[in-house]
Amino acid sequence: MYVPPRTSLRVWPMLCGIRVINAEKSEFNEDQAACGKLCIRRCEFGIEEHQEWLTVCPEEFLTGHYWALFDGHGGPAAAILAANTLHSCLRRQLEAVVEGMIAPQPPMHLSGRCVCPSDPQFVEEKGIQAEDLVIGALENAFQECDDVIGRELEASGQVGGCTALVAVFLQGKLYVANAGDSRAILVRRHEIRQLSSEFTPETERQRIQQLAFTYPELLAGEFTRLEFPRRLKGDDLGQKVLFRDHHMRGWSYKRVEKSDLKYPLIHGQGRQARLLGTLAVSRGLGDHQLRVLDTDIQLKPFLLSIPQVTVLDVHQLAVQEEDVVVMATDGLWDVLSNEQVALLVRSFLTGNQKDDPHRFSELAKMLIHNTQGKDNGATGEGQVSYDDVSVFVIPLHSQAQEGSGH
Amino acid sequence: MYVPPRTSLRVWPMLCGIRVINAEKSEFNEDQAACGKLCIRRCEFGIEEHQEWLTVCPEEFLTGHYWALFDGHGGPAAAILAANTLHSCLRRQLEAVVEGMIAPQPPMHLSGRCVCPSDPQFVEEKGIQAEDLVIGALENAFQECDDVIGRELEASGQVGGCTALVAVFLQGKLYVANAGDSRAILVRRHEIRQLSSEFTPETERQRIQQLAFTYPELLAGEFTRLEFPRRLKGDDLGQKVLFRDHHMRGWSYKRVEKSDLKYPLIHGQGRQARLLGTLAVSRGLGDHQLRVLDTDIQLKPFLLSIPQVTVLDVHQLAVQEEDVVVMATDGLWDVLSNEQVALLVRSFLTGNQKDDPHRFSELAKMLIHNTQGKDNGATGEGQVSYDDVSVFVIPLHSQAQEGSGH
């Protein structure tokens, strides 16, 4: 994790077995980060069915690694809470299913008791594997963390929200969970693979329009659910214009009525696209109190805190020394494409000493440098990002060598 | 289109410019098919804004081809209505936007009038192309047809539903629209490409569970929304078992309560999976009156009539003589994989005369023959389909040569 100049860097104490590094580029920086070791304790079952946690082993049982980026909006409060909380939620969720994760196949009953002789076959037919329990734990941890943030913000009178991009290395696999517009990519010598998708008002248009169709009261008569190429005005009345509704991936024409002149539920294009004129992302944590300016119209019903999770089987990759995962907030991806980042990564790692322990930090630093408008030989473009930028570079080789830690 | 033995074949009269062939393998056959030329008339605009259809050209303006398969359930009524109706709905939808389709870029206003000087730029930024109007027309035609079927079934006191798989060749592109569990694949010498996805209670689990979460009254207290590896029973009470809810792609464990013992909203595995214990598909046309046996619980709220549309740019394919699209109902795909079908297609077309005008019909016949348990050299398996089977084989070469017909 590289923290650019003008930055106060605090290394936090060991928090629930997680080492958290928090970076603040300026007093207005809303990016937050966390990383550390993830220690999952084993909670053994007793013989009695209803007595769940008989013994809690004091020592770590399964260990993994955790990296997380949170891009805040409306203040850094939600991002800070998420950086302090999400790993604990995840650890708790994983500990609740760890017995299932270490079995050859997750058992139908967590206790291992077989109620039906064919229970293993039912689990087999559904194709349920240990990785599905980690995916479920990530999904539930994001939801739990969102609830915590909602309570904490309300209790402290704070506001705000954040995106969340999390990578977890566990039992030989890398899990990438994303809710928002940050991005993780895998860069290898001959491969670039995007490990997450962005969730914005544009990419989630149909889900959002569907919600407004189901609950029209959410728009309070102030917005139109329909999408048009631009906001309509009086001159368009009575004309047939391009539009699409929630059920359409394609476009059609409709005759413009007065209600079509309202402000659109989703408005703007690309970086400028906004949900209810307010928010640039459609998934994330927080925003429980967020309302459209000067109205009572809430944003939260349209937002999902559920991440999309992708799984990379690192042990099957035949990982090379230069294989890395680059995680970054939208500040990086707004000015550099996946291909440009891969080019920078490859040329940097080819030119630098393999035994330099700081080379991945230097690489993260160089990537951020490339968003600050300095002309660079590799891209030759010198684009400028005016947004906060945070980057993790995760070398896969050391992860793969460390193994599962079980 | 091959119609197997024991079949009465009716060639229907020219219906709205479409030639419809209807195949009934037996009196219980619920598969229906339609194909023909699609003739889209041009409706010119006058100068006055509010006077829309000044001149309707009596002649066809844009022509395409149309193939459709409908797999009925609960009787053939819906499938027959769909085979008689969907092409008319599609023609009407296409005629309503054809002016936009033939422009270099669909104009913001169908009249071509430019209200804002930057309107073309707004359309450009949204990336709206002629093909998006065809996709929108297909989406709207399926909805319109579903409404017609609902009215007709009610008026005639009939019941039933059907899946719909439609292929349309228009302006050099093949559009495949699918609602249900039929499938279309492209077979070329060195490529197999699936052109549709199946929509079943399993593939649409999250959408269906989400609906039950939003409207719990739809389950009338008789079903549980949650998914478990098998139906739970009394012995599972109080145990922690594998489950997932609408927001989860992964799995977790939950302690079984009494309400979890209810019949599951989606039950069974693969071919046996059923929605509300009743239906094997989650998209299609009809079923407006369908209820769970001996209850008032409706299926229709969980069903979508909207198809997923994929586009194949045939003019960019460098099409060869042997390149075909195979469309078939689930009866074929239940016993033959994409790869097995491709193997049969390639070996058949290599071994047969290029100038035989019936070879594609013979190929369709041979594919169906391979589902009837006859041992075959190519697959060597001799599997049996007990379902109705319908197959279209569309040679792409003749389509590509014919061009847009504009």
Side-chain angles (χ1 to χ4, degrees):
Chain A
M1 171 83 201
Y2 167 70
V3 181
R6 303 179 294 111
T7 303
S8 69
L9 187 148
R10 284 181 282 146
V11 179
W12 288 8
M14 291 296 279
L15 246 182
C16 319
I18 306 254
R19 192 162 62 89
V20 180
I21 299 168
N22 167 244
E24 292 171 295
K25 287 187 301 218
S26 76
E27 60 176 335
F28 301 108
N29 184 13
E30 294 172 334
D31 277 7
Q32 298 287 324
C35 71
K37 205 168 166 185
L38 194 62
C39 300
I40 300 148
R41 295 167 303 180
R42 186 181 194 172
C43 307
E44 282 184 21
F45 273 92
I47 295 152
E48 284 170 55
E49 265 182 51
H50 300 284
Q51 195 175 350
E52 189 181 349
W53 307 108
L54 257 198
T55 319
V56 176
C57 296
E59 287 159 44
E60 64 197 45
F61 173 63
L62 194 67
T63 62
H65 287 97
Y66 170 91
W67 301 262
L69 291 177
F70 307 98
D71 184 352
H73 51 256
I80 292 171
L81 283 166
N84 291 348
T85 310
L86 183 53
H87 55 274
S88 311
C89 300
L90 179 59
R91 201 203 53 194
R92 206 160 31 239
Q93 292 287 346
L94 287 169
E95 285 178 352
V97 301
V98 68
E99 293 294 329
M101 283 166 56
I102 56 165
Q105 179 189 57
M108 169 87 186
H109 299 84
L110 189 57
S111 64
R113 190 190 145 194
C114 210
V115 172
C116 268
S118 48
D119 276 349
Q121 199 185 320
F122 283 112
V123 174
E124 176 76 34
E125 279 173 4
K126 290 269 181 192
I128 306 169
Q129 300 169 2
E131 73 175 53
D132 297 304
L133 295 179
V134 182
I135 294 169
L138 279 159
E139 291 168 330
N140 290 331
F142 271 60
Q143 272 217 313
E144 188 189 330
C145 183
D146 187 52
D147 292 340
V148 171
I149 289 172
R151 286 195 301 270
E152 292 284 326
L153 288 178
E154 197 182 355
S156 62
Q158 290 180 293
V159 296
C162 67
T163 68
L165 174 65
V166 169
V168 172
F169 187 82
L170 200 61
Q171 294 183 300
K173 290 180 179 171
L174 187 80
Y175 299 82
V176 177
N178 186 43
D181 61 356
S182 296
R183 186 188 296 167
I185 68 170
L186 167 70
V187 179
R188 312 182 72 193
R189 193 174 299 179
H190 300 296
E191 185 187 5
I192 304 170
R193 197 189 307 179
Q194 195 164 317
L195 301 175
S196 64
S197 326
E198 283 89 64
F199 296 98
T200 69
E202 278 186 307
T203 65
E204 295 210 278
R205 172 188 60 84
Q206 285 188 273
R207 178 180 72 72
I208 292 164
Q209 285 184 316
Q210 173 72 47
L211 255 171
F213 172 76
T214 307
Y215 302 107
E217 65 274 17
L218 291 176
L219 303 184
E222 299 283 337
F223 290 85
T224 170
R225 174 183 86 229
L226 301 181
E227 181 185 14
F228 303 100
R230 62 163 165 75
R231 185 174 179 184
L232 302 184
K233 47 190 187 178
D235 287 354
D236 297 308
L237 267 174
Q239 293 258 317
K240 285 200 161 184
V241 303
L242 284 167
F243 88 105
R244 55 182 175 175
D245 200 353
H246 65 94
H247 67 279
M248 300 167 71
R249 196 173 71 77
W251 289 80
S252 193
Y253 286 93
K254 88 172 291 264
R255 192 177 298 288
V256 178
E257 300 159 43
K258 218 172 161 196
S259 64
D260 299 324
L261 305 188
K262 292 176 181 172
Y263 199 85
L265 172 58
I266 299 168
H267 189 56
Q269 200 61 33
R271 291 266 302 143
Q272 267 64 52
R274 291 290 180 278
L275 174 62
L276 291 165
T278 306
L279 206 55
V281 287
S282 57
R283 295 203 191 187
L285 309 173
D287 290 319
H288 294 71
Q289 300 300 321
L290 185 60
R291 281 170 164 74
V292 176
L293 195 67
D294 294 331
T295 76
D296 257 342
I297 301 171
Q298 295 185 20
L299 273 290
K300 190 66 174 172
F302 294 98
L303 306 178
L304 276 188
S305 57
I306 307 297
Q308 188 186 59
V309 184
T310 58
V311 185
L312 186 67
D313 193 337
V314 178
H315 274 178
Q316 289 202 332
L317 268 189
V319 167
Q320 301 294 307
E321 284 262 11
E322 315 82 23
D323 296 349
V324 297
V325 168
V326 177
M327 289 169 68
T329 50
D330 62 332
L332 182 80
W333 307 110
D334 285 343
V335 295
L336 294 176
S337 67
N338 295 353
E339 289 68 27
Q340 287 172 319
V341 167
L343 205 63
L344 290 165
V345 165
R346 287 173 189 145
S347 74
F348 181 92
L349 290 178
T350 311
N352 280 267
Q353 296 292 336
K354 277 195 181 176
D355 46 6
D356 177 359
H358 300 296
R359 64 186 190 133
F360 296 106
S361 294
E362 289 297 318
L363 171 50
K365 183 175 170 179
M366 182 274 283
L367 287 175
I368 288 183
H369 181 80
N370 266 273
T371 66
Q372 304 301 306
K374 319 293 189 299
D375 200 322
N376 175 281
T379 66
E381 303 195 1
Q383 293 203 60
V384 184
S385 176
Y386 296 101
D387 198 359
D388 298 334
V389 186
S390 301
V391 177
F392 273 122
V393 176
I394 304 172
L396 283 185
H397 197 247
S398 54
Q399 294 297 324
Q401 282 189 323
E402 244 185 68
S404 72
H406 174 194
Chain B
M1 172 81 202
Y2 166 71
V3 182
R6 300 180 296 111
T7 305
S8 68
L9 187 148
R10 283 182 283 145
V11 179
W12 287 8
M14 292 296 280
L15 247 182
C16 318
I18 306 251
R19 193 163 61 90
V20 180
I21 298 169
N22 169 240
E24 292 173 292
K25 285 187 302 217
S26 74
E27 60 175 335
F28 302 107
N29 184 14
E30 293 173 335
D31 277 9
Q32 298 287 324
C35 71
K37 205 169 167 185
L38 195 60
C39 299
I40 300 149
R41 295 166 306 179
R42 186 179 194 173
C43 307
E44 280 183 23
F45 272 91
I47 294 151
E48 286 170 55
E49 264 183 51
H50 299 284
Q51 195 176 350
E52 189 180 349
W53 307 107
L54 257 200
T55 319
V56 175
C57 296
E59 286 158 45
E60 63 195 49
F61 174 63
L62 194 67
T63 61
H65 287 98
Y66 170 91
W67 302 263
L69 291 178
F70 307 98
D71 185 352
H73 50 256
I80 292 172
L81 283 166
N84 291 347
T85 311
L86 183 53
H87 56 272
S88 312
C89 300
L90 179 60
R91 203 204 52 196
R92 204 160 33 240
Q93 292 288 345
L94 286 168
E95 285 177 353
V97 301
V98 68
E99 292 294 329
M101 282 167 56
I102 57 165
Q105 180 189 58
M108 168 86 184
H109 300 83
L110 189 56
S111 64
R113 190 188 144 195
C114 210
V115 172
C116 267
S118 47
D119 276 348
Q121 200 184 320
F122 283 112
V123 175
E124 176 76 32
E125 281 174 1
K126 290 269 180 190
I128 306 169
Q129 299 169 4
E131 72 174 53
D132 296 304
L133 295 179
V134 182
I135 295 170
L138 279 159
E139 292 168 329
N140 290 332
F142 271 61
Q143 273 217 314
E144 188 189 330
C145 183
D146 187 53
D147 292 342
V148 171
I149 289 173
R151 285 195 301 272
E152 292 285 326
L153 287 179
E154 198 183 354
S156 61
Q158 290 180 292
V159 296
C162 66
T163 68
L165 173 64
V166 169
V168 173
F169 187 83
L170 201 61
Q171 294 182 302
K173 290 178 179 171
L174 187 80
Y175 298 82
V176 176
N178 187 42
D181 60 356
S182 296
R183 186 188 296 167
I185 68 171
L186 168 68
V187 179
R188 313 183 71 194
R189 194 173 298 180
H190 300 295
E191 186 188 5
I192 304 169
R193 197 188 308 178
Q194 195 165 316
L195 301 175
S196 64
S197 325
E198 283 89 65
F199 295 99
T200 68
E202 278 186 308
T203 65
E204 296 210 278
R205 172 187 60 85
Q206 284 188 273
R207 178 181 71 73
I208 292 164
Q209 284 184 316
Q210 173 71 48
L211 255 172
F213 173 75
T214 307
Y215 301 106
E217 64 275 17
L218 291 176
L219 303 184
E222 299 283 336
F223 290 84
T224 171
R225 175 183 85 231
L226 302 180
E227 181 184 15
F228 304 99
R230 62 161 165 77
R231 184 173 179 187
L232 302 183
K233 46 189 185 178
D235 287 354
D236 297 307
L237 266 174
Q239 293 259 319
K240 286 201 162 184
V241 304
L242 284 166
F243 89 105
R244 54 181 176 177
D245 201 354
H246 65 96
H247 66 279
M248 300 167 71
R249 197 173 70 78
W251 288 80
S252 192
Y253 286 93
K254 87 171 292 265
R255 192 177 298 288
V256 178
E257 300 160 43
K258 217 172 161 197
S259 64
D260 299 324
L261 305 189
K262 290 176 182 171
Y263 200 84
L265 172 58
I266 299 168
H267 189 56
Q269 200 61 33
R271 291 265 303 141
Q272 266 66 51
R274 291 290 180 279
L275 174 62
L276 292 165
T278 306
L279 206 54
V281 289
S282 57
R283 295 203 192 189
L285 308 173
D287 291 319
H288 293 71
Q289 299 302 321
L290 184 60
R291 282 171 163 76
V292 176
L293 194 67
D294 293 331
T295 75
D296 258 344
I297 301 171
Q298 294 184 20
L299 274 289
K300 190 65 175 172
F302 293 99
L303 305 178
L304 277 188
S305 58
I306 307 299
Q308 189 186 58
V309 184
T310 58
V311 186
L312 185 69
D313 194 337
V314 178
H315 274 177
Q316 289 203 332
L317 269 189
V319 168
Q320 302 295 306
E321 285 261 10
E322 315 80 24
D323 296 349
V324 297
V325 168
V326 178
M327 290 170 68
T329 49
D330 62 333
L332 183 79
W333 308 108
D334 284 344
V335 295
L336 293 176
S337 68
N338 295 354
E339 289 68 27
Q340 287 173 318
V341 167
L343 205 64
L344 290 166
V345 166
R346 287 172 189 144
S347 74
F348 181 91
L349 290 178
T350 312
N352 281 266
Q353 295 292 335
K354 278 193 182 176
D355 46 6
D356 176 358
H358 300 297
R359 63 186 192 133
F360 296 107
S361 294
E362 288 297 317
L363 171 51
K365 183 174 168 180
M366 183 273 284
L367 288 175
I368 289 184
H369 181 79
N370 266 273
T371 66
Q372 303 302 306
K374 319 293 189 298
D375 201 321
N376 176 280
T379 65
E381 301 196 0
Q383 294 201 59
V384 184
S385 177
Y386 297 101
D387 199 359
D388 298 332
V389 185
S390 301
V391 177
F392 273 121
V393 175
I394 305 172
L396 283 184
H397 197 249
S398 54
Q399 295 296 324
Q401 282 188 323
E402 242 184 69
S404 72
H406 175 194

